[in-house]
Amino acid sequence: MPIVDLMSRCMTDTTTVQSFAGRQIVESLDREFARLHSRSCAVIQSTPADLLYTVTTNETGSLPSIGEDVLRSAAAVEQTFGGITANLWDDPFEWTLPEYLSTPVKVIEHLGEVEQVRQRAFSSFDVDACLVKHVATPSGETRPLVELLLETLIRAAGYQGRATATLKFLSAISTPGFII
């Protein structure tokens, strides 16, 4: 069953998830986040160092650099999983400045650290039913965990897609595994 169908069932009927044996949804989400990480690493590995933070402009203004968009993607993941595991909801993009992550190698190292935080969180999701539990967010509202994870995945993939498009725009490099 596609993850979208499973998620819609989760959001509409808590008993459906509770009767679901195992971790099918958790594992599916885990794979999607792992793919996101892998694609971010591929974008950075395909980016020449001199293009990493090159800002481009078009008729509507400046576009973020490849590095900035990949770091924003990672920051979305890090913020969500830092919030879930340690109640640290600060925006990590504030301390992942290009001055500190100035080379593709340093960016990849940072992406690895974010992936470790994400993996720790996923290891605590023991069954699919835990995804319907509510999580407190910085705004004070509570939201189902599955909703927060899907929103994070979509937001992070959006930033990553922009980075890929910028890379293709700035160079003739074909990024492996990407279809735009």
Side-chain angles (χ1 to χ4, degrees), residues 3-4 45 57-58 68 85 92 99 113 120 132 176:
I3 191 165
V4 174
Q45 288 168 342
T57 56
N58 64 15
E68 183 179 344
T85 60
E99 297 84 40
E113 293 168 7
R120 262 194 316 274
V132 296

Side-chain angles (χ1 to χ4, degrees), residues 3-177:
I3 191 165
V4 174
D5 294 341
L6 292 171
M7 291 302 139
S8 64
R9 286 175 54 190
C10 287
M11 298 305 292
T12 58
D13 185 5
T14 305
T15 59
T16 300
V17 174
Q18 291 172 345
S19 66
F20 229 28
R23 296 176 32 136
Q24 186 178 1
I25 299 170
V26 169
E27 289 172 4
S28 183
L29 283 167
D30 188 30
R31 276 190 307 275
E32 291 306 314
F33 275 102
R35 285 182 186 136
L36 181 78
H37 167 72
S38 178
R39 289 189 308 258
S40 287
C41 289
V43 167
I44 296 301
Q45 288 168 342
S46 299
T47 302
D50 62 327
L51 292 182
L52 187 60
Y53 292 108
T54 298
V55 176
T56 58
T57 56
N58 64 15
E59 60 278 350
T60 61
S62 294
L63 302 173
S65 67
I66 297 163
E68 183 179 344
D69 274 333
V70 168
L71 290 176
R72 285 191 185 279
S73 176
V77 172
E78 187 176 10
Q79 182 177 34
T80 294
F81 289 100
I84 291 169
T85 60
N87 202 27
L88 178 61
W89 291 97
D90 294 336
D91 183 0
F93 189 73
E94 298 299 320
W95 61 80
T96 54
L97 300 173
E99 297 84 40
Y100 301 110
L101 301 173
S102 57
T103 67
V105 170
K106 289 181 179 180
V107 173
I108 298 250
E109 287 173 2
H110 175 70
L111 293 176
E113 293 168 7
V114 172
E115 178 64 1
Q116 287 176 354
V117 170
R118 186 204 63 79
Q119 287 175 349
R120 262 194 316 274
F122 263 91
S123 69
S124 70
F125 303 156
D126 52 354
V127 293
D128 288 341
C130 73
L131 297 175
V132 296
K133 292 182 180 177
H134 282 243
V135 176
T137 62
S139 67
E141 70 176 334
T142 62
R143 299 176 59 196
L145 180 57
V146 67
E147 182 181 301
L148 186 61
L149 295 178
L150 287 172
E151 178 184 288
T152 300
L153 189 58
I154 291 166
R155 188 167 30 118
Y159 285 123
Q160 185 185 81
R162 282 191 345 194
T164 302
T166 302
L167 176 59
K168 287 183 178 189
F169 175 76
L170 291 177
S171 67
I173 297 172
S174 174
T175 338

